[in-house]
Amino acid sequence: NAGVTQTPKFRVLKTGQSMTLLCAQDMNHEYMYWYRQDPGMGLRLIHYSVGEGTTAKGEVPDGYNVSRLKKQNFLLGLESAAPSQTSVYFCASTYEMGLSETQYFGPGTRLLVL
Amino acid sequence: GENVEQHPSTLSVQEGDSAVIKCTYSDSASNYFPWYKQELGKGPQLIIDIRSNVGEKKDQRIAVTLNKTAKHFSLHITETQPEDSAVYFCAASRDSSYKLIFGSGTRLLVRP
């Protein structure tokens, strides 16, 4: 099993450009999450999904959109990138909160917005 | 909503010494408290967790304690080794919340 994979690993954008970050998991997990990690602020939840076709807002959803068209994939979109979105983005998945809450994280995507 | 505070932000210890990281949470309904370790350039990985019906849990050199009354929980690492150097995150959640709320992280450095 590859676990949780993220594409791309690193990206540089100019302000106003758009991009999509892809997260894929091969563990048949129901729940998937997108976090951003900034120095001194830990991991902040952007959006999450409790199953195929569902999405919900986390702590810091503004400026991002997500889609979960397939159970194994969770996409994070930036429609118009801003320098404040420079961060490291982590995807995570878990089987089901309340039963087995271990979240498995991907290796991260480092995004720089100029 | 839930808020998790973590201290200290950095911790430096001599190899062989113990390290303690503390977290406090605000939501009294929280009942699940995991700890994650993040090595440089990697995603966080679960190292130990505890539920609110237990006061302490151990796994070899790692232990977690929970004080529900005071709403705080701690990670204890004994006989620290250089490979313990990493960033550690605490988190909290409650049933039906579907999500974890993370602390701000502690950078642990174990000096050889």
Side-chain angles (χ1 to χ4, degrees), chain B residues 57-96:
Chain B
K57 184 177 179 180
K58 288 183 179 180
D59 183 3
Q60 299 181 334
R61 297 186 297 107
I62 293 174
V64 57
T65 58
L66 171 66
N67 183 326
K68 287 191 296 180
T69 303
K71 290 191 284 187
H72 68 71
F73 56 111
S74 300
L75 178 71
H76 305 254
I77 306 174
T78 59
E79 301 173 12
T80 53
Q81 301 168 2
E83 52 264 38
D84 294 330
S85 295
V87 178
Y88 292 81
F89 292 98
C90 63
S93 76
R94 58 181 172 85
D95 289 344
S96 76

Side-chain angles (χ1 to χ4, degrees), chain B:
Chain B
E2 174 68 282
N3 183 51
V4 178
E5 295 189 357
Q6 183 171 347
H7 300 281
S9 57
T10 59
L11 179 61
S12 180
V13 300
Q14 196 70 37
E15 181 178 358
D17 287 349
S18 295
V20 180
I21 303 170
K22 298 181 179 181
C23 289
T24 60
Y25 60 98
S26 60
D27 186 353
S28 57
S30 290
N31 58 0
Y32 174 67
F33 308 93
W35 286 89
Y36 282 78
K37 175 183 180 182
Q38 185 179 26
E39 297 178 341
L40 194 62
K42 297 183 178 180
Q45 186 172 14
L46 179 74
I47 55 172
I48 195 168
D49 56 11
I50 192 169
R51 288 199 161 275
S52 58
N53 57 348
V54 176
E56 183 176 4
K57 184 177 179 180
K58 288 183 179 180
D59 183 3
Q60 299 181 334
R61 297 186 297 107
I62 293 174
V64 57
T65 58
L66 171 66
N67 183 326
K68 287 191 296 180
T69 303
K71 290 191 284 187
H72 68 71
F73 56 111
S74 300
L75 178 71
H76 305 254
I77 306 174
T78 59
E79 301 173 12
T80 53
Q81 301 168 2
E83 52 264 38
D84 294 330
S85 295
V87 178
Y88 292 81
F89 292 98
C90 63
S93 76
R94 58 181 172 85
D95 289 344
S96 76
S97 73
Y98 307 121
K99 54 186 187 262
L100 294 172
I101 302 301
F102 284 86
S104 55
T106 297
R107 184 173 299 277
L108 173 65
L109 174 63
V110 180
R111 307 186 305 274

Side-chain angles (χ1 to χ4, degrees), chain A:
Chain A
N1 287 351
V4 180
T5 58
Q6 293 184 233
T7 308
K9 289 184 171 54
F10 177 70
R11 184 76 182 268
V12 179
L13 287 180
K14 294 182 179 178
T15 297
Q17 287 185 318
S18 63
M19 78 164 294
T20 300
L21 284 69
L22 171 63
C23 175
Q25 53 92 5
D26 60 2
M27 297 174 283
N28 200 33
H29 284 170
E30 291 291 337
Y31 292 27
M32 297 186 74
Y33 306 84
W34 275 107
Y35 296 91
R36 60 177 290 172
Q37 184 175 30
D38 303 294
M41 303 188 75
L43 292 154
R44 292 184 293 169
L45 183 64
I46 304 171
H47 286 282
Y48 64 101
S49 168
V50 301
E52 182 178 318
T54 74
T55 62
K57 294 180 180 180
E59 300 171 79
V60 289
D62 294 343
Y64 305 96
N65 57 74
V66 289
S67 65
R68 183 104 180 265
L69 298 179
K70 293 183 179 180
K71 185 177 183 179
Q72 63 268 35
N73 296 337
F74 196 27
L75 303 173
L76 178 70
L78 287 73
E79 290 186 347
S80 179
S84 60
Q85 294 177 304
T86 292
S87 188
V88 181
Y89 292 85
F90 287 99
C91 175
S93 71
T94 189
Y95 180 64
E96 185 174 340
M97 292 293 286
L99 293 179
S100 175
E101 292 97 338
T102 304
Q103 291 196 13
Y104 295 87
F105 283 81
T109 294
R110 188 174 296 274
L111 176 64
L112 175 61
V113 182
L114 301 175

